[in-house]
Amino acid sequence: DIQMTQSPASLSASVGETVTITCRASENIYSYLAWYQQKQGKSPQLLVYNAKTLAEGVPSRFSGSGSGTQFSLKINSLQPEDFGSYYCQHHYGTPYTFGGGTKLEIK
Amino acid sequence: QVQLQQSGAELARPGASVKLSCKASGYTFTSYWMQWVKQRPGQGLEWIGAIYPGDGDTRYTQKFKGKATLTADKSSSTAYMQLSSLASEDSAVYYCARGGYPLYWGQGTTLTVSS
């Protein structure tokens, strides 16, 4: 199975800052990577798929990049509603493993 | 509009089995894979498996083979996940989600395993 390693596990940032979350795959997954945001007590919400394609309705301050085994999610000018947990997941053949998650908190 | 409506919270005894449901509407049920995802309290997302309702093809991650059984009823556009030999570690929220990179998720079903 493909392993997904996400970092950092937690992150503290202020409104207006720019943050980057990284995800590393244990083998080449080309661009088959998605990113999700999850708020406490809610279902995950798709942000990015195919490594860099923003899902419908996702603000342009979010951006995804990478291919192969190294990926990142960048959030420009953090807004109060951006705080929560973020997960990567590959979609290159089953099982579609998730990364361990990044908890983004307000500083 | 696409909706995935999951069954209500469950309380089950250790050793028992439970069957969770996910009723789909607003799209062609047989044309999309349905994933199932586990989330223990305060923990991350864990992929259980997926089913393609069109032909019943199922995929599981190794850890959940023998624990989870995925089925789908085309007549009612409902996906099911049966969990067997329940233990405290199975207490979690379980989500169904449509497709390989799901835009649509169910609201989650909370399973509590306790004697």
Side-chain angles (χ1 to χ4, degrees):
Chain A
D1 297 353
I2 297 172
Q3 306 304 313
M4 305 301 295
T5 303
Q6 194 174 331
S7 62
S10 62
L11 183 56
S12 183
S14 301
V15 172
E17 285 189 28
T18 295
V19 299
T20 299
I21 299 168
T22 63
C23 187
R24 176 171 52 86
S26 61
E27 60 186 82
N28 187 357
I29 59 169
Y30 301 91
S31 294
Y32 294 101
L33 185 95
W35 290 95
Y36 305 88
Q37 177 193 64
Q38 188 182 32
K39 302 287 184 68
Q40 185 69 31
K42 300 294 187 182
S43 303
Q45 179 181 352
L46 179 67
L47 297 174
V48 173
Y49 61 95
N50 291 342
K52 62 180 182 181
T53 303
L54 285 188
E56 188 175 345
V58 175
S60 59
R61 63 180 180 274
F62 290 89
S63 63
S65 64
S67 65
T69 62
Q70 299 281 351
F71 302 86
S72 62
L73 176 71
K74 185 178 180 181
I75 313 173
N76 288 312
S77 187
L78 274 171
Q79 297 300 300
E81 61 267 28
D82 297 338
F83 294 93
S85 293
Y86 290 82
Y87 297 91
C88 63
Q89 182 195 29
H90 81 83
H91 47 101
Y92 179 63
T94 56
Y96 294 151
T97 324
F98 287 94
T102 296
K103 188 171 184 178
L104 178 54
E105 298 178 316
I106 300 173
K107 185 183 289 185
Chain B
Q1 71 282 22
V2 175
Q3 288 189 331
L4 301 176
Q5 182 64 39
Q6 296 189 241
S7 48
E10 296 269 5
L11 172 61
R13 303 296 187 207
S17 296
V18 68
K19 194 170 187 178
L20 311 183
S21 67
C22 171
K23 183 171 177 56
S25 60
Y27 72 97
T28 302
F29 178 64
T30 52
S31 297
Y32 293 84
W33 284 86
M34 187 74 79
Q35 297 188 33
W36 289 86
V37 175
K38 176 182 181 180
Q39 187 170 39
R40 298 203 67 197
Q43 302 300 308
L45 303 173
E46 189 172 14
W47 197 80
I48 297 171
I51 184 167
Y52 188 74
D55 61 8
D57 188 9
T58 54
R59 311 288 173 84
Y60 299 91
T61 194
Q62 184 65 37
K63 176 180 176 180
F64 288 94
K65 289 181 181 177
K67 167 63 70 176
T69 302
L70 305 182
T71 57
D73 179 359
K74 290 188 277 190
S75 67
S76 62
S77 297
T78 303
Y80 298 94
M81 178 173 66
Q82 179 161 327
L83 297 169
S84 61
S85 303
L86 292 172
S88 58
E89 312 86 79
D90 297 317
S91 294
V93 176
Y94 292 88
Y95 295 101
C96 60
R98 190 194 82 166
Y101 42 86
L103 178 62
Y104 301 102
W105 293 69
Q107 82 276 23
T109 295
T110 299
L111 171 64
T112 303
V113 181
S114 175
S115 55

